[in-house]
Amino acid sequence: MHIHRSPAAWVSAVFAFLGTPAVAAALVPRWGPAVVHERRAVHPGWEDSHRLPAGVPVPLRIALTQQNLHALPDKLLAVANPESPTYGAHWSAADVAAAFAPADEARVAVTEWLIHAGFAAERVKASYNKAWIEVDGATAAEVEALLETEYRIFKRDDGEEHVACHNYSIPAAIAAHVDFVLPTVQSNVKLVKVQKRNVLTRRQSVDPTTIGVNGSLVGCDTLVVPGCLKTLYNMTYKAKATDRNTFGIVSYYSNTYLQSDLDTFFGNFSPALVGTAPTLVSIDGGTIALDPDSSVGEDGWILEYAMTLAAPQPVQFLNVGNEQIGQFFSMNEWLDAVDGSYCTSGGGDDLTFDPQLPNPLPGGFKDHSCGTAKVPNVVSNSQAVDEHAYTAFYRQRQCNEFAKLGLMGVTVLYAAGNTGTSGTNTGISGTQSGYCIDDNGSVNLNATNFNPAWPASCPWITAVGGTQVKANATIGNAPEEVWNQDMTMGFFVSGGGGFSNHFPTPDYQKTAVANYLKFLAKNDPTTLQHFNTKGRAYPDISANANSFFNIGDGSVSVDSGTSGATPTVAAIITLVNDARISAGKKPVGFINPMIYSSGFASAFNDITDGSNSGCKGLQGVRNGGFKATSGWDPASGVGSPNLGKLIEKWLALP
Ligand SMILES: *[C@@H]1O[C@H](CO)[C@@H](O)[C@H](O)[C@H]1NC(C)=O
Ligand SMILES: *[C@@H]1O[C@H](CO)[C@@H](O)[C@H](O)[C@H]1NC(C)=O
Ligand SMILES: *[C@@H]1O[C@H](CO)[C@@H](O)[C@H](O)[C@H]1NC(C)=O
Ligand SMILES: *[C@@H]1O[C@H](CO)[C@@H](O)[C@H](O)[C@H]1NC(C)=O
Ligand SMILES: *[C@@H]1O[C@H](CO)[C@@H](O)[C@H](O)[C@H]1NC(C)=O
Ligand SMILES: *[C@@H]1O[C@H](CO)[C@@H](O)[C@H](O)[C@H]1NC(C)=O
């Protein structure tokens, strides 16, 4: 679905009330000169058309800086690092909310500034969770004066319009209390789900239930079924603490799954599950109802694998509804639902990514789900978008929230994307998938900087890369290599991997990254020019991403993608949690400090063959992604998991 969002609809739905216009005063004496707080990134395909008329209402919202965030990484490592005396002492949601809530001082300072600028006190409100300040009925002219900016209408060649400014400024003394202001510089980039689908033609003569059984990998090089994964990853453990454990899959919108597809799949690979549905956790009105005009999306086969691999562990299906913005994903919506203290209800999302609520469409959903769901121990997310598409503050805030979930003992997994070191997708309808990025943020065929994925590049999630089964592979003989398939028409799909342009290398991976940089300096020095060597590197871990046999819309198909690798790893971590819970221990929570530690190395199958792809366009860079090598690398992470050994390692920890 494609919704045109005109400025009039954009504002009228958010603001019914128009207050008395305020007159912005000169604020220099009290708070110091205004400094540029954020700038808009370059977005191909959008043209600056004209100025927004002065009287148009602008739903002004100011995100206050949270307290104690500098301490967040240390607090997280204190519960996630096995050497820490407080390992596993996860925090309650209430403790997390209290520790990081914005200071009263921030709220007071921003409120005073707004009132001094001429907004009547009754128009200035704190959101119910006190993380945001909202101003009722501000006009474009008022906000332009306040932020020393101009609201522009950006137009795209298909007619869609978007309001934004190029940059905005706030006084230095106020800036310290403000993360960001909305709506201002937010980008407007279409984001498309990680997915590749093609109908199986070549192996229909083979019975898939005979593949990957009895410890054999014969056939797994061309068709992956649950037996291949169980064999590859030493998955013999059976869940037994299912009433005390939780496992969730996040999904978006209405192209979900058909129970009849699941049952056909289960009938072949996990007969005890026939008739079993995932447990729906509805977010923003999310349902399992299929859009009658659309086919089943990738959620169908993700559930087939997640449920089969983790069985008999019930699987929660966290479906985010309210499909008003087509292919955009709002990661904030599931975060809002599981953490009321993060909830941005009543003023705070970026309408580029987050839904406008209440939804102005007929029957549109009215309110955000805020703190309505208990967060599962493991949350699997098969979405990957581009890091550069978000503003710095937005990215930082979301990444902090992932760290807070880690503090609470949650393992958050995200797909590393399907386009190697290049962009998963930007611009219109995915045409720039596989492109690199310029220093100025422009994504084009001549750009040469690798273009990392989000949220894979946030250091506080676990990013899952892709492998594939080698031709004629046998177990015990390094059966996997980096996923990299040359599709027709020069389009490559390969496991996402690379280095953040914004987040520094976290401590837990510094040694691993330093070793890899040495390997590159020696073996492939030109690649060093294409990325930020000081950035957070990903993926952290990997699993098969190639040729998943599945049932969708009643027929057999084969899909590939880190969309399938992610729930596979998530099911494995869920089984580790089961073993720990059965032994009276806590779930594993944020796993990165552990999986990079030398003690855990033997619990992974080191992937040392293959490489992921580079960027489209440049000769020599096109296939020049990252090579795998022994130990961690940005093509396969620490390797693929060995469940039996991971359970042994994790049971030895407190
Ligand atoms: C801010 O944007 C305006 C256009 O609205 C531009 O003229 C100005 O140079 C920009 N300033 C900075 C510091 O980027
Ligand atoms: C797997 O082993 C079982 C029991 O040993 C046997 O009955 C079955 O035929 C084997 N399957 C295959 C595909 O070899
Ligand atoms: C960005 O830089 C590239 C050169 O690397 C240049 O060709 C392009 O025009 C620049 N784009 C913008 C919008 O400044
Ligand atoms: C890339 O470079 C070529 C040759 O220098 C030029 O013709 C083309 O317009 C450039 N493309 C982009 C998207 O900048
Ligand atoms: C795999 O085995 C087939 C048949 O035995 C053989 O033709 C092919 O060359 C082998 N491929 C590799 C990569 O070893
Ligand atoms: C699989 O895990 C078991 C423990 O459950 C372990 O004893 C065995 O060595 C592992 N197998 C391999 C091939 O790593």
Side-chain angles (χ1 to χ4, degrees), residues 605-627:
N605 310 306
D606 193 3
I607 312 297
T608 57
D609 293 311
S611 65
N612 59 9
S613 59
C615 313
K616 270 184 194 162
L618 271 197
Q619 203 65 35
V621 174
R622 180 63 187 78
N623 274 309
F626 291 112
K627 291 184 200 325

PDB file of all heavy atoms in Angstrom, residues 605-627:
ATOM      1  N   ASN A 605      30.937 -22.728  14.945  1.00  0.00           N
ATOM      2  CA  ASN A 605      31.592 -23.246  13.750  1.00  0.00           C
ATOM      3  C   ASN A 605      32.219 -22.043  13.062  1.00  0.00           C
ATOM      4  O   ASN A 605      31.510 -21.175  12.553  1.00  0.00           O
ATOM      5  CB  ASN A 605      30.559 -23.892  12.816  1.00  0.00           C
ATOM      6  CG  ASN A 605      29.665 -24.880  13.549  1.00  0.00           C
ATOM      7  OD1 ASN A 605      30.165 -25.793  14.210  1.00  0.00           O
ATOM      8  ND2 ASN A 605      28.353 -24.685  13.475  1.00  0.00           N
ATOM      9  N   ASP A 606      33.526 -21.966  13.090  1.00  0.00           N
ATOM     10  CA  ASP A 606      34.215 -20.835  12.466  1.00  0.00           C
ATOM     11  C   ASP A 606      34.017 -20.920  10.948  1.00  0.00           C
ATOM     12  O   ASP A 606      34.276 -21.967  10.359  1.00  0.00           O
ATOM     13  CB  ASP A 606      35.702 -20.902  12.835  1.00  0.00           C
ATOM     14  CG  ASP A 606      36.442 -19.615  12.515  1.00  0.00           C
ATOM     15  OD1 ASP A 606      35.796 -18.650  12.055  1.00  0.00           O
ATOM     16  OD2 ASP A 606      37.670 -19.580  12.736  1.00  0.00           O
ATOM     17  N   ILE A 607      33.557 -19.832  10.361  1.00  0.00           N
ATOM     18  CA  ILE A 607      33.364 -19.804   8.897  1.00  0.00           C
ATOM     19  C   ILE A 607      34.591 -19.116   8.306  1.00  0.00           C
ATOM     20  O   ILE A 607      34.853 -17.949   8.612  1.00  0.00           O
ATOM     21  CB  ILE A 607      32.088 -19.014   8.515  1.00  0.00           C
ATOM     22  CG1 ILE A 607      30.875 -19.442   9.358  1.00  0.00           C
ATOM     23  CG2 ILE A 607      31.802 -19.122   7.012  1.00  0.00           C
ATOM     24  CD1 ILE A 607      30.430 -20.862   9.192  1.00  0.00           C
ATOM     25  N   THR A 608      35.341 -19.824   7.480  1.00  0.00           N
ATOM     26  CA  THR A 608      36.607 -19.268   6.981  1.00  0.00           C
ATOM     27  C   THR A 608      36.641 -19.154   5.464  1.00  0.00           C
ATOM     28  O   THR A 608      37.640 -18.718   4.903  1.00  0.00           O
ATOM     29  CB  THR A 608      37.793 -20.146   7.444  1.00  0.00           C
ATOM     30  OG1 THR A 608      37.558 -21.474   6.977  1.00  0.00           O
ATOM     31  CG2 THR A 608      37.917 -20.167   8.953  1.00  0.00           C
ATOM     32  N   ASP A 609      35.554 -19.566   4.800  1.00  0.00           N
ATOM     33  CA  ASP A 609      35.548 -19.509   3.330  1.00  0.00           C
ATOM     34  C   ASP A 609      34.478 -18.551   2.812  1.00  0.00           C
ATOM     35  O   ASP A 609      33.407 -18.427   3.398  1.00  0.00           O
ATOM     36  CB  ASP A 609      35.276 -20.909   2.752  1.00  0.00           C
ATOM     37  CG  ASP A 609      36.419 -21.858   3.027  1.00  0.00           C
ATOM     38  OD1 ASP A 609      37.574 -21.476   2.768  1.00  0.00           O
ATOM     39  OD2 ASP A 609      36.162 -22.964   3.545  1.00  0.00           O
ATOM     40  N   GLY A 610      34.809 -17.912   1.683  1.00  0.00           N
ATOM     41  CA  GLY A 610      33.846 -17.042   1.014  1.00  0.00           C
ATOM     42  C   GLY A 610      33.967 -15.597   1.458  1.00  0.00           C
ATOM     43  O   GLY A 610      34.791 -15.247   2.309  1.00  0.00           O
ATOM     44  N   SER A 611      33.161 -14.755   0.847  1.00  0.00           N
ATOM     45  CA  SER A 611      33.124 -13.343   1.216  1.00  0.00           C
ATOM     46  C   SER A 611      31.749 -12.814   0.866  1.00  0.00           C
ATOM     47  O   SER A 611      31.019 -13.423   0.075  1.00  0.00           O
ATOM     48  CB  SER A 611      34.194 -12.559   0.451  1.00  0.00           C
ATOM     49  OG  SER A 611      33.901 -12.587  -0.923  1.00  0.00           O
ATOM     50  N   ASN A 612      31.398 -11.678   1.485  1.00  0.00           N
ATOM     51  CA  ASN A 612      30.137 -11.057   1.076  1.00  0.00           C
ATOM     52  C   ASN A 612      30.423 -10.060  -0.037  1.00  0.00           C
ATOM     53  O   ASN A 612      31.580  -9.849  -0.424  1.00  0.00           O
ATOM     54  CB  ASN A 612      29.387 -10.469   2.276  1.00  0.00           C
ATOM     55  CG  ASN A 612      30.177  -9.419   3.027  1.00  0.00           C
ATOM     56  OD1 ASN A 612      31.233  -8.985   2.579  1.00  0.00           O
ATOM     57  ND2 ASN A 612      29.670  -9.009   4.172  1.00  0.00           N
ATOM     58  N   SER A 613      29.380  -9.468  -0.603  1.00  0.00           N
ATOM     59  CA  SER A 613      29.573  -8.630  -1.790  1.00  0.00           C
ATOM     60  C   SER A 613      29.837  -7.184  -1.409  1.00  0.00           C
ATOM     61  O   SER A 613      29.541  -6.736  -0.297  1.00  0.00           O
ATOM     62  CB  SER A 613      28.362  -8.739  -2.720  1.00  0.00           C
ATOM     63  OG  SER A 613      27.201  -8.334  -2.050  1.00  0.00           O
ATOM     64  N   GLY A 614      30.404  -6.440  -2.360  1.00  0.00           N
ATOM     65  CA  GLY A 614      30.701  -5.024  -2.162  1.00  0.00           C
ATOM     66  C   GLY A 614      29.553  -4.165  -2.666  1.00  0.00           C
ATOM     67  O   GLY A 614      28.402  -4.447  -2.401  1.00  0.00           O
ATOM     68  N   CYS A 615      29.888  -3.106  -3.396  1.00  0.00           N
ATOM     69  CA  CYS A 615      28.862  -2.185  -3.876  1.00  0.00           C
ATOM     70  C   CYS A 615      28.716  -2.313  -5.373  1.00  0.00           C
ATOM     71  O   CYS A 615      29.688  -2.564  -6.079  1.00  0.00           O
ATOM     72  CB  CYS A 615      29.249  -0.748  -3.571  1.00  0.00           C
ATOM     73  SG  CYS A 615      29.813  -0.512  -1.902  1.00  0.00           S
ATOM     74  N   LYS A 616      27.506  -2.088  -5.836  1.00  0.00           N
ATOM     75  CA  LYS A 616      27.268  -2.025  -7.274  1.00  0.00           C
ATOM     76  C   LYS A 616      28.049  -0.871  -7.865  1.00  0.00           C
ATOM     77  O   LYS A 616      28.285   0.126  -7.199  1.00  0.00           O
ATOM     78  CB  LYS A 616      25.794  -1.739  -7.533  1.00  0.00           C
ATOM     79  CG  LYS A 616      24.957  -2.965  -7.659  1.00  0.00           C
ATOM     80  CD  LYS A 616      23.540  -2.566  -8.023  1.00  0.00           C
ATOM     81  CE  LYS A 616      22.618  -3.742  -7.827  1.00  0.00           C
ATOM     82  NZ  LYS A 616      21.228  -3.344  -7.740  1.00  0.00           N
ATOM     83  N   GLY A 617      28.387  -0.975  -9.112  1.00  0.00           N
ATOM     84  CA  GLY A 617      28.911   0.207  -9.794  1.00  0.00           C
ATOM     85  C   GLY A 617      30.393   0.160 -10.038  1.00  0.00           C
ATOM     86  O   GLY A 617      30.821   0.154 -11.171  1.00  0.00           O
ATOM     87  N   LEU A 618      31.155   0.086  -8.973  1.00  0.00           N
ATOM     88  CA  LEU A 618      32.591   0.202  -9.173  1.00  0.00           C
ATOM     89  C   LEU A 618      33.226  -1.120  -9.543  1.00  0.00           C
ATOM     90  O   LEU A 618      33.082  -2.117  -8.843  1.00  0.00           O
ATOM     91  CB  LEU A 618      33.256   0.711  -7.899  1.00  0.00           C
ATOM     92  CG  LEU A 618      33.359   2.216  -7.759  1.00  0.00           C
ATOM     93  CD1 LEU A 618      34.365   2.546  -6.696  1.00  0.00           C
ATOM     94  CD2 LEU A 618      33.765   2.865  -9.073  1.00  0.00           C
ATOM     95  N   GLN A 619      33.975  -1.097 -10.623  1.00  0.00           N
ATOM     96  CA  GLN A 619      34.739  -2.268 -11.026  1.00  0.00           C
ATOM     97  C   GLN A 619      35.700  -2.611  -9.891  1.00  0.00           C
ATOM     98  O   GLN A 619      36.362  -1.726  -9.360  1.00  0.00           O
ATOM     99  CB  GLN A 619      35.543  -1.914 -12.289  1.00  0.00           C
ATOM    100  CG  GLN A 619      35.935  -3.079 -13.132  1.00  0.00           C
ATOM    101  CD  GLN A 619      34.713  -3.780 -13.720  1.00  0.00           C
ATOM    102  OE1 GLN A 619      33.737  -3.114 -14.041  1.00  0.00           O
ATOM    103  NE2 GLN A 619      34.770  -5.092 -13.810  1.00  0.00           N
ATOM    104  N   GLY A 620      35.757  -3.839  -9.510  1.00  0.00           N
ATOM    105  CA  GLY A 620      36.716  -4.206  -8.473  1.00  0.00           C
ATOM    106  C   GLY A 620      36.135  -4.082  -7.076  1.00  0.00           C
ATOM    107  O   GLY A 620      36.553  -4.770  -6.173  1.00  0.00           O
ATOM    108  N   VAL A 621      35.168  -3.198  -6.916  1.00  0.00           N
ATOM    109  CA  VAL A 621      34.543  -3.091  -5.607  1.00  0.00           C
ATOM    110  C   VAL A 621      33.278  -3.942  -5.605  1.00  0.00           C
ATOM    111  O   VAL A 621      32.853  -4.461  -4.599  1.00  0.00           O
ATOM    112  CB  VAL A 621      34.194  -1.617  -5.286  1.00  0.00           C
ATOM    113  CG1 VAL A 621      33.401  -1.525  -3.993  1.00  0.00           C
ATOM    114  CG2 VAL A 621      35.462  -0.805  -5.183  1.00  0.00           C
ATOM    115  N   ARG A 622      32.733  -4.141  -6.785  1.00  0.00           N
ATOM    116  CA  ARG A 622      31.466  -4.847  -6.924  1.00  0.00           C
ATOM    117  C   ARG A 622      31.429  -6.145  -6.128  1.00  0.00           C
ATOM    118  O   ARG A 622      30.484  -6.437  -5.433  1.00  0.00           O
ATOM    119  CB  ARG A 622      31.229  -5.128  -8.417  1.00  0.00           C
ATOM    120  CG  ARG A 622      29.950  -5.857  -8.689  1.00  0.00           C
ATOM    121  CD  ARG A 622      28.781  -4.986  -8.244  1.00  0.00           C
ATOM    122  NE  ARG A 622      27.527  -5.716  -8.339  1.00  0.00           N
ATOM    123  CZ  ARG A 622      27.154  -6.605  -7.455  1.00  0.00           C
ATOM    124  NH1 ARG A 622      27.910  -6.902  -6.427  1.00  0.00           N
ATOM    125  NH2 ARG A 622      26.006  -7.216  -7.588  1.00  0.00           N
ATOM    126  N   ASN A 623      32.490  -6.927  -6.230  1.00  0.00           N
ATOM    127  CA  ASN A 623      32.511  -8.164  -5.478  1.00  0.00           C
ATOM    128  C   ASN A 623      33.433  -8.090  -4.279  1.00  0.00           C
ATOM    129  O   ASN A 623      33.631  -9.059  -3.578  1.00  0.00           O
ATOM    130  CB  ASN A 623      32.933  -9.314  -6.376  1.00  0.00           C
ATOM    131  CG  ASN A 623      31.717  -9.849  -7.084  1.00  0.00           C
ATOM    132  OD1 ASN A 623      30.720 -10.143  -6.426  1.00  0.00           O
ATOM    133  ND2 ASN A 623      31.779  -9.933  -8.381  1.00  0.00           N
ATOM    134  N   GLY A 624      34.016  -6.930  -4.099  1.00  0.00           N
ATOM    135  CA  GLY A 624      35.008  -6.791  -3.049  1.00  0.00           C
ATOM    136  C   GLY A 624      34.417  -6.459  -1.707  1.00  0.00           C
ATOM    137  O   GLY A 624      34.632  -5.363  -1.195  1.00  0.00           O
ATOM    138  N   GLY A 625      33.690  -7.355  -1.148  1.00  0.00           N
ATOM    139  CA  GLY A 625      33.209  -7.147   0.213  1.00  0.00           C
ATOM    140  C   GLY A 625      34.266  -7.639   1.185  1.00  0.00           C
ATOM    141  O   GLY A 625      35.460  -7.512   0.933  1.00  0.00           O
ATOM    142  N   PHE A 626      33.810  -8.197   2.296  1.00  0.00           N
ATOM    143  CA  PHE A 626      34.738  -8.700   3.306  1.00  0.00           C
ATOM    144  C   PHE A 626      34.932 -10.203   3.142  1.00  0.00           C
ATOM    145  O   PHE A 626      33.972 -10.953   3.011  1.00  0.00           O
ATOM    146  CB  PHE A 626      34.207  -8.387   4.695  1.00  0.00           C
ATOM    147  CG  PHE A 626      34.235  -6.928   5.028  1.00  0.00           C
ATOM    148  CD1 PHE A 626      33.064  -6.194   5.177  1.00  0.00           C
ATOM    149  CD2 PHE A 626      35.449  -6.270   5.186  1.00  0.00           C
ATOM    150  CE1 PHE A 626      33.100  -4.844   5.484  1.00  0.00           C
ATOM    151  CE2 PHE A 626      35.497  -4.913   5.499  1.00  0.00           C
ATOM    152  CZ  PHE A 626      34.311  -4.197   5.644  1.00  0.00           C
ATOM    153  N   LYS A 627      36.194 -10.610   3.194  1.00  0.00           N
ATOM    154  CA  LYS A 627      36.528 -12.034   3.138  1.00  0.00           C
ATOM    155  C   LYS A 627      36.388 -12.630   4.539  1.00  0.00           C
ATOM    156  O   LYS A 627      36.755 -11.989   5.516  1.00  0.00           O
ATOM    157  CB  LYS A 627      37.986 -12.222   2.716  1.00  0.00           C
ATOM    158  CG  LYS A 627      38.323 -11.864   1.295  1.00  0.00           C
ATOM    159  CD  LYS A 627      39.804 -12.241   1.079  1.00  0.00           C
ATOM    160  CE  LYS A 627      40.496 -11.563  -0.078  1.00  0.00           C
ATOM    161  NZ  LYS A 627      39.816 -11.258  -1.274  1.00  0.00           N
TER     162      LYS A 627
END
